[in-house]
Amino acid sequence: MNDDIYFSDVNNRLETPISQDQILAELTDILSAKNVKADPRKNTHFRKGWRSGGGSALAVIFPQSLLQLWQSLKVCVKTNSIIIMQAANTGLTEGSAPSGDDYDRPVVVINTLAIDQLFLINSGEQVVSLPGATLHQLEKQLAAIGRAPHSIIGSSCLGASIVGGIANNSGGALVKRGPAYTELSVYAQINAQGELVLVNHLGIQLGDSPEAILTSLQKGSFSLNPIAKSNKMASDKEYVERIRNVNADTPSRFNADKRRLHESSGCAGKLAVFAVRIDTFPVAKREQTFYIGTNDTKELTKLRKDILSRLTNMPEVGEYMHRDIFDISQKYGKDTFLSVLHLGTERLPRLFSIKGSIDEALSKVSWLPKSLTDKCMQFCSRLFPQHIPPRLLQYRKDYEHHLILKMSDEGIAEADAFLTDFFSKSTSGSFIVCDANEAKRAYLHRFAAAGAALRYHTMFEKEVGDILALDIALPRNAVDWLEALPEELDKQIDKKLYYGHFFCYVFHQDYILKKGTDAKQVKKQMLALLNDRGAKYPAEHNVGHLYEAEPDLKQFYQSLDPTNAFNPGVGKMDKTKRNCACCL
């Protein structure tokens, strides 16, 4: 037995069954009544996915410390309860909430947002994050010392947690960073004998028992002293080399990539993660955004290949938008755009939480229209003046395909010279050098795109069918990156919305289907076409309950969680308790 693995004093074998009331009583003794929400009318928000999905649970609990989290896990293991770990619940594939009502054991959702401490170590070159800390917290804390986190605002939602990103191999808009990844963490696991164990692979000596380790972590006393550097990775240091290989016939990043499945990284809630140790990055001294438009997809294909293979300096960001999503985002993402612009990112997660509570309350009033808050916000957004700068609107008029390219430091002059030469020979496209206002608004416009697709669907829910959202990773050597759908499939779609991280070849493809269309059949056909193109999916939002896990991913989940106690059913795997050593 390794000296960094510590056993709990309980396992999940009970002499007699325990009632659900007894489970709730034990959890309440640990957490107090205010941190145990068993009334389904009061915990709906935490039992629903960000976009879709949801299910029932015995309770949603809110531990206030790592020690309370550990004690709650012990109760769940002892009482043979299913454990669903949850932080911000901002995932887009239903993976951090219950799914349906067909579980074979009581379900306890453990929300960790209250445990949100961050500890900078080694002069801020790395950080130790507890499970509830968010990317926004980290970005704000690092800004004071001239460092930056793995990800920034995100491509789809605000308030995402750091541990959630690691657990889902999340990607992001930053070209050089790759998927969220670390080999350094502290986590709890249920082994094949049904025993709860705590594993300290943080590379920091914290104590000789679970209680001592978790107390040290909570206090962060270790951060006051220099910490030995580890030979294990705390970020994907190999990603730049990988993305530069533009002739490879595999994607640069995707969730089931077994190269980046390691303990907490990619665990998808199959472990209870207490802390992760991750790298931070120096902030560029100067940045410049270039806005590129073209009517020829082959031109963008060549531009991507040339930049990645010929330029000395890599881009910081390269975000693609098709004209159609430009239009949808401009009209139906305007309130999100203006909220971030004028209120900043710090207040918005709280505002969205309030909106969710209001939506939940209004949904119980039968005579009110559905999605009333969204419809009110959409109406109010029309009262504000045009928010997109004139030169970007002109590019929308002139060009079908848009690329937002950010370069830094020495890369600015190199990119300027490259783009000037590249487009001097072009008859299909051009570029502009953005001022600070144009750059900021271009990124906010791109950020608002994912929510805008949902808003459009909400506003026209009576006229359209379901929304099908795919995030895909294409092979690095793909030439035809924009799909051409067969006519019989194309005619079933009201809107095709394409946007994504162009240099990584990771695309978000949202389809608003026509009324009466069979969404399951359309998805089946879409995935078959993607298979033919050598694509991998999902690329950065993980399988959740919407995708079937690939064999490598299934094997990884089973190795982490042999009894199927944590988040059963993800990847369309079985929800039932798995036969293991404790059941023999």
Side-chain angles (χ1 to χ4, degrees):
M1 183 178 68
N2 295 333
D3 60 3
D4 51 4
I5 299 177
Y6 304 88
F7 282 74
S8 169
D9 56 359
V10 300
N11 58 41
N12 66 352
R13 288 170 287 186
L14 288 174
E15 295 297 328
T16 57
I18 187 169
S19 71
Q20 293 189 355
D21 286 343
Q22 288 174 291
I23 298 172
L24 292 174
E26 291 200 28
L27 291 171
T28 302
D29 284 344
I30 296 167
L31 302 171
S32 79
K34 69 178 182 179
N35 293 316
V36 178
K37 294 187 183 296
D39 186 341
R41 296 171 299 178
K42 297 180 179 179
N43 64 21
T44 305
H45 174 72
F46 304 96
R47 293 187 292 102
K48 293 174 64 177
W50 183 263
R51 270 184 171 172
S52 61
S56 59
L58 172 62
V60 180
I61 64 173
F62 303 86
Q64 303 297 296
S65 69
L66 294 177
L67 199 55
Q68 284 190 351
L69 172 55
W70 173 250
Q71 292 167 339
S72 300
L73 289 171
K74 289 167 68 172
V75 170
C76 292
V77 173
K78 183 182 73 172
T79 59
N80 194 26
S81 298
I82 285 170
I83 302 161
I84 296 179
M85 301 301 300
Q86 179 187 95
N89 194 21
T90 57
L92 302 183
T93 55
E94 306 178 8
S96 54
S99 179
D101 307 316
D102 56 343
Y103 294 98
D104 61 337
R105 292 151 285 168
V107 175
V108 177
V109 178
I110 304 181
N111 185 287
T112 62
L113 272 186
I115 314 171
D116 62 355
Q117 288 88 339
L118 288 167
F119 305 104
L120 301 184
I121 61 175
N122 294 340
S123 302
E125 291 185 1
Q126 290 187 324
V127 63
V128 173
S129 169
L130 301 195
T134 66
L135 279 170
H136 176 74
Q137 281 178 258
L138 179 57
E139 186 176 10
K140 186 177 179 181
Q141 195 163 333
L142 289 176
I145 60 169
R147 305 284 293 184
H150 164 272
S151 297
I152 49 174
I153 192 170
S155 62
S156 52
C157 51
L158 294 164
S161 70
I162 296 164
V163 166
I166 293 291
N168 290 296
N169 287 135
S170 297
L174 299 179
V175 177
K176 301 175 184 177
R177 308 284 165 83
Y181 182 73
T182 188
E183 296 168 356
L184 301 164
S185 63
V186 176
Y187 59 88
Q189 180 178 34
I190 300 173
N191 64 18
Q193 287 70 43
E195 300 164 314
L196 181 69
V197 300
L198 187 74
V199 179
N200 178 13
H201 285 171
L202 202 64
I204 302 172
Q205 180 56 246
L206 295 167
D208 297 321
S209 69
E211 290 74 16
I213 289 168
L214 298 177
T215 299
S216 295
L217 262 180
Q218 191 81 54
K219 291 181 178 179
S221 53
F222 56 87
S223 64
L224 301 177
N225 304 308
I227 292 174
K229 293 188 177 181
S230 174
N231 59 3
K232 294 182 178 180
M233 289 198 291
S235 62
D236 189 349
K237 297 180 183 297
E238 301 165 349
Y239 189 69
V240 169
E241 180 181 353
R242 184 173 178 83
I243 197 175
R244 280 193 182 276
N245 185 0
V246 293
N247 296 315
D249 60 1
T250 56
S252 58
R253 58 181 169 95
F254 58 100
N255 289 132
D257 184 355
K258 61 183 180 181
R259 297 167 54 258
R260 291 296 171 258
L261 299 175
H262 182 86
E263 297 179 348
S264 61
S265 293
C267 71
K270 286 294 185 178
L271 303 171
V273 182
F274 288 82
V276 294
R277 177 177 169 184
I278 55 174
D279 289 332
T280 69
F281 304 87
V283 173
K285 296 181 179 66
R286 295 182 301 124
E287 291 182 332
Q288 179 61 62
T289 295
F290 302 90
Y291 199 92
I292 297 162
T294 183
N295 290 312
D296 185 356
T297 58
K298 290 183 173 58
E299 191 163 61
L300 280 188
T301 304
K302 182 173 180 2
L303 180 143
R304 171 186 175 272
K305 185 174 182 179
D306 287 352
I307 286 179
L308 291 178
S309 59
R310 289 174 45 193
L311 267 60
T312 302
N313 298 280
M314 284 277 286
E316 297 290 334
V317 174
E319 292 295 289
Y320 169 78
M321 294 182 77
H322 187 273
R323 177 188 279 154
D324 289 345
I325 189 63
F326 186 108
D327 292 345
I328 292 291
S329 186
Q330 180 185 358
K331 184 172 182 179
Y332 298 98
K334 187 175 181 179
D335 59 314
T336 298
F337 180 108
L338 294 173
S339 297
V340 176
L341 180 67
H342 296 298
L343 299 178
T345 57
E346 186 170 7
R347 299 178 186 175
L348 290 190
R350 175 60 180 159
L351 293 178
F352 285 144
S353 177
I354 293 172
K355 175 185 176 298
S357 299
I358 295 172
D359 286 340
E360 185 178 331
L362 294 180
S363 69
K364 297 178 174 64
V365 183
S366 59
W367 52 269
L368 287 175
K370 291 177 62 178
S371 308
L372 183 59
T373 58
D374 282 282
K375 290 171 181 175
C376 289
M377 290 165 68
Q378 182 61 32
F379 174 80
C380 291
S381 71
R382 297 174 185 173
L383 304 178
F384 289 85
Q386 177 58 254
H387 59 295
I388 306 297
R391 288 206 296 173
L392 304 191
L393 290 175
Q394 186 61 47
Y395 262 55
R396 179 260 164 234
K397 181 179 178 181
D398 294 341
Y399 301 113
E400 182 179 1
H401 308 286
H402 299 239
L403 181 65
I404 308 166
L405 173 67
K406 181 191 287 184
M407 302 296 295
S408 62
D409 299 331
E410 291 80 7
I412 297 172
E414 185 181 26
D416 199 353
F418 167 80
L419 293 172
T420 299
D421 178 66
F422 186 90
F423 285 106
S424 69
K425 307 163 189 172
S426 170
T427 59
S428 301
S430 65
F431 78 99
I432 56 174
V433 180
C434 295
D435 62 30
N437 180 60
E438 289 171 329
K440 183 173 186 177
R441 289 174 181 260
Y443 292 120
L444 286 179
H445 186 48
R446 161 63 184 89
F447 169 74
L454 285 174
R455 175 64 60 76
Y456 175 87
H457 183 260
T458 297
M459 298 303 295
F460 295 96
E461 59 186 345
K462 293 181 179 180
E463 290 83 23
V464 300
D466 291 337
I467 182 170
L468 174 60
L470 303 177
D471 67 291
I472 69 165
L474 295 178
R476 285 166 280 172
N477 64 352
V479 175
D480 298 320
W481 49 269
L482 186 66
E483 67 184 4
L485 295 176
E487 183 181 354
E488 67 273 12
L489 188 55
D490 192 61
K491 67 184 182 182
Q492 300 180 70
I493 300 171
D494 176 72
K495 294 285 185 186
K496 301 188 296 266
L497 305 174
Y498 302 116
Y499 53 105
H501 317 305
F502 191 67
F503 290 96
C504 303
Y505 260 1
V506 168
F507 293 94
H508 301 284
Q509 302 185 169
D510 294 344
Y511 306 93
I512 312 295
L513 306 182
K514 291 183 177 178
K515 197 75 173 178
T517 299
D518 185 339
K520 290 183 178 179
Q521 184 59 31
V522 169
K523 183 176 180 179
K524 182 178 179 181
Q525 292 175 270
M526 289 286 190
L527 297 185
L529 291 172
L530 290 171
N531 291 338
D532 290 342
R533 298 171 67 195
K536 291 289 187 179
Y537 50 84
E540 59 181 7
H541 291 152
N542 221 326
V543 289
H545 290 281
L546 297 183
Y547 296 90
E548 182 174 352
E550 292 188 7
D552 286 338
L553 194 56
K554 287 182 180 179
Q555 185 177 3
F556 177 63
Y557 288 162
Q558 290 171 352
S559 69
L560 296 181
D561 182 27
T563 69
N564 207 23
F566 283 99
N567 211 7
V570 293
K572 297 193 178 293
M573 297 171 68
D574 290 338
K575 289 184 175 179
T576 54
K577 185 172 181 177
R578 190 175 296 121
N579 290 330
C580 56
C582 66
C583 306
L584 298 179

